Short mmCIF file of all heavy atoms in Angstrom, two decimals:
data_model
loop_
_atom_site.label_atom_id
_atom_site.label_comp_id
_atom_site.label_asym_id
_atom_site.label_seq_id
_atom_site.Cartn_x
_atom_site.Cartn_y
_atom_site.Cartn_z
N GLY J 1 -252.12 -204.13 -59.79
CA GLY J 1 -251.24 -203.25 -60.45
C GLY J 1 -250.01 -203.85 -61.08
O GLY J 1 -249.15 -203.11 -61.67
N VAL J 2 -249.93 -205.18 -61.07
CA VAL J 2 -248.81 -205.84 -61.67
C VAL J 2 -249.09 -206.06 -63.18
O VAL J 2 -250.18 -206.54 -63.59
CB VAL J 2 -248.58 -207.25 -61.01
CG1 VAL J 2 -247.47 -207.96 -61.75
CG2 VAL J 2 -248.36 -207.17 -59.55
N LYS J 3 -248.10 -205.63 -64.02
CA LYS J 3 -248.23 -205.88 -65.45
C LYS J 3 -247.66 -207.18 -65.78
O LYS J 3 -246.46 -207.56 -65.50
CB LYS J 3 -247.36 -204.76 -66.21
CG LYS J 3 -247.39 -204.90 -67.71
CD LYS J 3 -246.60 -203.91 -68.42
CE LYS J 3 -247.45 -202.60 -68.43
NZ LYS J 3 -246.75 -201.54 -69.30
N VAL J 4 -248.49 -208.07 -66.36
CA VAL J 4 -248.22 -209.49 -66.53
C VAL J 4 -247.90 -209.81 -67.96
O VAL J 4 -248.73 -209.60 -68.85
CB VAL J 4 -249.29 -210.46 -66.05
CG1 VAL J 4 -248.94 -211.86 -66.18
CG2 VAL J 4 -249.69 -210.09 -64.58
N THR J 5 -246.75 -210.33 -68.26
CA THR J 5 -246.39 -210.79 -69.59
C THR J 5 -246.21 -212.32 -69.50
O THR J 5 -245.56 -212.84 -68.65
CB THR J 5 -245.01 -210.17 -69.99
OG1 THR J 5 -245.15 -208.79 -70.16
CG2 THR J 5 -244.60 -210.78 -71.32
N ALA J 6 -246.90 -213.02 -70.34
CA ALA J 6 -246.93 -214.49 -70.41
C ALA J 6 -246.32 -215.06 -71.62
O ALA J 6 -246.67 -214.68 -72.75
CB ALA J 6 -248.40 -214.98 -70.25
N ILE J 7 -245.33 -215.94 -71.47
CA ILE J 7 -244.55 -216.53 -72.59
C ILE J 7 -244.67 -218.02 -72.56
O ILE J 7 -244.39 -218.63 -71.51
CB ILE J 7 -243.05 -216.14 -72.44
CG1 ILE J 7 -242.93 -214.60 -72.35
CG2 ILE J 7 -242.32 -216.71 -73.62
CD1 ILE J 7 -241.43 -214.18 -71.86
N GLY J 8 -245.19 -218.57 -73.70
CA GLY J 8 -245.40 -219.93 -73.80
C GLY J 8 -244.19 -220.56 -74.50
O GLY J 8 -243.85 -220.09 -75.62
N LEU J 9 -243.66 -221.64 -74.04
CA LEU J 9 -242.51 -222.31 -74.61
C LEU J 9 -242.82 -223.64 -75.25
O LEU J 9 -243.47 -224.46 -74.49
CB LEU J 9 -241.41 -222.44 -73.51
CG LEU J 9 -240.96 -221.24 -72.69
CD1 LEU J 9 -240.04 -221.64 -71.67
CD2 LEU J 9 -240.36 -220.25 -73.64
N GLY J 10 -242.45 -223.76 -76.49
CA GLY J 10 -242.57 -225.11 -77.21
C GLY J 10 -244.06 -225.39 -77.63
O GLY J 10 -244.94 -224.56 -77.53
N LYS J 11 -244.22 -226.60 -78.12
CA LYS J 11 -245.44 -227.06 -78.77
C LYS J 11 -246.55 -227.20 -77.75
O LYS J 11 -247.74 -227.19 -78.12
CB LYS J 11 -245.23 -228.37 -79.57
CG LYS J 11 -244.31 -228.21 -80.77
CD LYS J 11 -244.30 -229.50 -81.51
CE LYS J 11 -243.62 -230.54 -80.71
NZ LYS J 11 -243.37 -231.80 -81.54
N GLN J 12 -246.26 -227.41 -76.43
CA GLN J 12 -247.30 -227.74 -75.47
C GLN J 12 -247.75 -226.39 -74.81
O GLN J 12 -248.62 -226.53 -73.91
CB GLN J 12 -246.73 -228.68 -74.40
CG GLN J 12 -246.17 -229.95 -74.93
CD GLN J 12 -247.24 -230.66 -75.66
OE1 GLN J 12 -248.44 -230.79 -75.26
NE2 GLN J 12 -246.91 -231.25 -76.83
N ALA J 13 -247.32 -225.23 -75.31
CA ALA J 13 -247.76 -224.04 -74.69
C ALA J 13 -249.25 -223.93 -74.80
O ALA J 13 -249.87 -224.08 -75.88
CB ALA J 13 -247.11 -222.86 -75.39
N ASN J 14 -249.93 -223.53 -73.73
CA ASN J 14 -251.38 -223.29 -73.65
C ASN J 14 -251.69 -221.83 -73.87
O ASN J 14 -251.79 -221.09 -72.98
CB ASN J 14 -251.95 -223.82 -72.34
CG ASN J 14 -253.47 -223.87 -72.29
OD1 ASN J 14 -254.11 -223.00 -72.87
ND2 ASN J 14 -254.01 -224.83 -71.57
N VAL J 15 -251.92 -221.45 -75.16
CA VAL J 15 -252.04 -220.09 -75.52
C VAL J 15 -253.36 -219.49 -74.85
O VAL J 15 -253.22 -218.29 -74.37
CB VAL J 15 -252.10 -219.89 -77.06
CG1 VAL J 15 -252.33 -218.39 -77.42
CG2 VAL J 15 -250.78 -220.41 -77.68
N ARG J 16 -254.33 -220.23 -74.77
CA ARG J 16 -255.61 -219.73 -74.17
C ARG J 16 -255.34 -219.42 -72.72
O ARG J 16 -255.86 -218.33 -72.25
CB ARG J 16 -256.73 -220.83 -74.27
CG ARG J 16 -258.09 -220.32 -73.72
CD ARG J 16 -259.09 -221.41 -73.77
NE ARG J 16 -259.26 -221.89 -75.11
CZ ARG J 16 -260.22 -221.41 -76.00
NH1 ARG J 16 -260.91 -220.36 -75.60
NH2 ARG J 16 -260.32 -221.88 -77.22
N GLU J 17 -254.56 -220.17 -72.03
CA GLU J 17 -254.24 -219.91 -70.67
C GLU J 17 -253.35 -218.69 -70.50
O GLU J 17 -253.52 -217.86 -69.62
CB GLU J 17 -253.51 -221.13 -70.03
CG GLU J 17 -253.28 -221.11 -68.59
CD GLU J 17 -252.76 -222.49 -68.13
OE1 GLU J 17 -253.60 -223.42 -67.88
OE2 GLU J 17 -251.58 -222.60 -67.92
N LEU J 18 -252.39 -218.48 -71.39
CA LEU J 18 -251.53 -217.32 -71.44
C LEU J 18 -252.29 -216.09 -71.61
O LEU J 18 -252.06 -215.06 -70.90
CB LEU J 18 -250.47 -217.47 -72.51
CG LEU J 18 -249.51 -218.67 -72.42
CD1 LEU J 18 -248.59 -218.70 -73.65
CD2 LEU J 18 -248.69 -218.70 -71.17
N ILE J 19 -253.27 -216.12 -72.47
CA ILE J 19 -254.16 -214.93 -72.73
C ILE J 19 -254.94 -214.61 -71.50
O ILE J 19 -255.12 -213.43 -71.15
CB ILE J 19 -255.11 -215.23 -73.91
CG1 ILE J 19 -254.31 -215.26 -75.23
CG2 ILE J 19 -256.14 -214.16 -74.03
CD1 ILE J 19 -255.01 -215.75 -76.45
N THR J 20 -255.39 -215.64 -70.80
CA THR J 20 -256.17 -215.41 -69.54
C THR J 20 -255.37 -214.73 -68.50
O THR J 20 -255.82 -213.84 -67.78
CB THR J 20 -256.74 -216.75 -69.02
OG1 THR J 20 -257.53 -217.31 -69.96
CG2 THR J 20 -257.47 -216.60 -67.71
N ILE J 21 -254.11 -215.07 -68.40
CA ILE J 21 -253.23 -214.50 -67.32
C ILE J 21 -252.64 -213.16 -67.64
O ILE J 21 -252.56 -212.34 -66.71
CB ILE J 21 -252.03 -215.51 -67.20
CG1 ILE J 21 -252.50 -216.84 -66.64
CG2 ILE J 21 -250.99 -214.88 -66.27
CD1 ILE J 21 -251.49 -217.99 -66.63
N ALA J 22 -252.41 -212.88 -68.95
CA ALA J 22 -251.60 -211.71 -69.24
C ALA J 22 -252.42 -210.40 -69.21
O ALA J 22 -253.65 -210.40 -69.27
CB ALA J 22 -251.08 -211.84 -70.70
N SER J 23 -251.64 -209.26 -69.14
CA SER J 23 -252.28 -207.97 -69.15
C SER J 23 -252.73 -207.58 -70.59
O SER J 23 -252.29 -208.17 -71.58
CB SER J 23 -251.25 -206.91 -68.64
OG SER J 23 -250.95 -207.23 -67.26
N GLU J 24 -253.47 -206.49 -70.63
CA GLU J 24 -253.94 -205.95 -71.88
C GLU J 24 -252.81 -204.91 -72.30
O GLU J 24 -252.18 -204.21 -71.51
CB GLU J 24 -255.23 -205.21 -71.82
CG GLU J 24 -256.41 -206.17 -71.47
CD GLU J 24 -256.86 -206.98 -72.74
OE1 GLU J 24 -256.39 -206.75 -73.79
OE2 GLU J 24 -257.71 -207.89 -72.50
N PRO J 25 -252.68 -204.63 -73.64
CA PRO J 25 -253.13 -205.37 -74.68
C PRO J 25 -252.46 -206.77 -74.85
O PRO J 25 -251.23 -206.79 -74.70
CB PRO J 25 -252.91 -204.55 -75.98
CG PRO J 25 -251.74 -203.68 -75.58
CD PRO J 25 -251.83 -203.48 -74.08
N LYS J 26 -253.23 -207.86 -75.09
CA LYS J 26 -252.68 -209.14 -75.19
C LYS J 26 -251.53 -209.32 -76.33
O LYS J 26 -250.60 -210.07 -76.05
CB LYS J 26 -253.78 -210.14 -75.51
CG LYS J 26 -254.97 -210.10 -74.53
CD LYS J 26 -254.56 -210.46 -73.15
CE LYS J 26 -255.79 -210.43 -72.17
NZ LYS J 26 -255.47 -210.81 -70.75
N SER J 27 -251.64 -208.49 -77.34
CA SER J 27 -250.66 -208.61 -78.43
C SER J 27 -249.31 -208.17 -77.94
O SER J 27 -248.35 -208.52 -78.54
CB SER J 27 -251.13 -207.68 -79.63
OG SER J 27 -251.23 -206.35 -79.22
N GLU J 28 -249.21 -207.39 -76.86
CA GLU J 28 -247.95 -206.93 -76.42
C GLU J 28 -247.45 -207.75 -75.15
O GLU J 28 -246.37 -207.46 -74.62
CB GLU J 28 -248.02 -205.44 -76.02
CG GLU J 28 -248.28 -204.56 -77.28
CD GLU J 28 -248.44 -203.08 -76.90
OE1 GLU J 28 -248.37 -202.73 -75.66
OE2 GLU J 28 -248.69 -202.27 -77.82
N HIS J 29 -248.30 -208.57 -74.66
CA HIS J 29 -247.96 -209.23 -73.42
C HIS J 29 -248.11 -210.84 -73.45
O HIS J 29 -247.95 -211.45 -72.43
CB HIS J 29 -248.86 -208.73 -72.29
CG HIS J 29 -248.59 -207.30 -71.98
ND1 HIS J 29 -247.44 -206.81 -71.40
CD2 HIS J 29 -249.31 -206.18 -72.23
CE1 HIS J 29 -247.57 -205.49 -71.28
NE2 HIS J 29 -248.70 -205.14 -71.80
N VAL J 30 -248.40 -211.34 -74.69
CA VAL J 30 -248.43 -212.78 -74.80
C VAL J 30 -247.54 -213.17 -75.97
O VAL J 30 -247.60 -212.57 -77.09
CB VAL J 30 -249.93 -213.31 -75.16
CG1 VAL J 30 -249.90 -214.81 -75.42
CG2 VAL J 30 -250.81 -212.94 -74.01
N PHE J 31 -246.65 -214.04 -75.71
CA PHE J 31 -245.69 -214.55 -76.67
C PHE J 31 -245.55 -216.11 -76.61
O PHE J 31 -245.73 -216.66 -75.63
CB PHE J 31 -244.26 -213.98 -76.35
CG PHE J 31 -244.20 -212.47 -76.34
CD1 PHE J 31 -244.49 -211.73 -75.21
CD2 PHE J 31 -243.96 -211.73 -77.58
CE1 PHE J 31 -244.39 -210.35 -75.14
CE2 PHE J 31 -243.89 -210.35 -77.53
CZ PHE J 31 -244.11 -209.68 -76.37
N THR J 32 -245.27 -216.65 -77.83
CA THR J 32 -244.94 -218.06 -77.85
C THR J 32 -243.62 -218.20 -78.56
O THR J 32 -243.30 -217.46 -79.51
CB THR J 32 -246.04 -218.92 -78.59
OG1 THR J 32 -246.20 -218.34 -79.90
CG2 THR J 32 -247.34 -218.87 -77.81
N ALA J 33 -242.83 -219.14 -78.21
CA ALA J 33 -241.55 -219.36 -78.84
C ALA J 33 -240.99 -220.66 -78.57
O ALA J 33 -241.45 -221.33 -77.53
CB ALA J 33 -240.50 -218.26 -78.36
N PHE J 34 -240.03 -221.18 -79.37
CA PHE J 34 -239.24 -222.37 -78.93
C PHE J 34 -238.00 -221.82 -78.35
O PHE J 34 -237.55 -220.70 -78.46
CB PHE J 34 -239.01 -223.16 -80.18
CG PHE J 34 -240.20 -223.85 -80.76
CD1 PHE J 34 -240.93 -223.22 -81.75
CD2 PHE J 34 -240.60 -225.10 -80.27
CE1 PHE J 34 -242.19 -223.76 -82.29
CE2 PHE J 34 -241.79 -225.71 -80.86
CZ PHE J 34 -242.53 -225.09 -81.81
N LEU J 35 -237.29 -222.75 -77.73
CA LEU J 35 -236.06 -222.35 -76.94
C LEU J 35 -235.00 -221.64 -77.80
O LEU J 35 -234.36 -220.68 -77.37
CB LEU J 35 -235.49 -223.52 -76.16
CG LEU J 35 -236.21 -224.04 -74.99
CD1 LEU J 35 -235.62 -225.31 -74.40
CD2 LEU J 35 -236.36 -222.99 -73.94
N ASP J 36 -234.92 -222.17 -79.08
CA ASP J 36 -233.89 -221.54 -79.97
C ASP J 36 -234.29 -220.23 -80.49
O ASP J 36 -233.42 -219.46 -80.99
CB ASP J 36 -233.49 -222.54 -81.04
CG ASP J 36 -234.65 -222.97 -81.88
OD1 ASP J 36 -235.84 -222.77 -81.50
OD2 ASP J 36 -234.46 -223.59 -82.99
N THR J 37 -235.57 -219.89 -80.46
CA THR J 37 -236.03 -218.61 -80.98
C THR J 37 -236.39 -217.61 -79.90
O THR J 37 -236.72 -216.51 -80.16
CB THR J 37 -237.27 -218.74 -81.90
OG1 THR J 37 -238.33 -219.28 -81.19
CG2 THR J 37 -236.92 -219.69 -83.09
N LEU J 38 -236.33 -218.08 -78.65
CA LEU J 38 -236.80 -217.28 -77.50
C LEU J 38 -235.92 -215.98 -77.41
O LEU J 38 -236.59 -214.93 -77.23
CB LEU J 38 -236.54 -218.05 -76.25
CG LEU J 38 -237.19 -217.52 -74.85
CD1 LEU J 38 -238.68 -217.13 -75.15
CD2 LEU J 38 -237.04 -218.49 -73.80
#
């Protein structure tokens, strides 16, 4: 029952891994950003 939001930081972010971890819909629970845009 935990709603999981996964945020990848920087160029080394593993987006495939974040998608695996995050809740549905992925578009609302997976994000990538650099520290200055976070």
Side-chain angles (χ1 to χ4, degrees):
V2 178
K3 180 178 284 190
V4 183
T5 298
I7 305 168
L9 304 176
K11 293 185 292 185
Q12 302 303 316
N14 188 324
V15 177
R16 185 185 299 272
E17 189 173 280
L18 301 176
I19 291 171
T20 299
I21 296 170
S23 295
E24 297 284 354
K26 305 297 184 180
S27 61
E28 296 177 0
H29 297 290
V30 177
F31 301 90
T32 57
F34 291 92
L35 287 175
D36 56 347
T37 61
L38 193 53

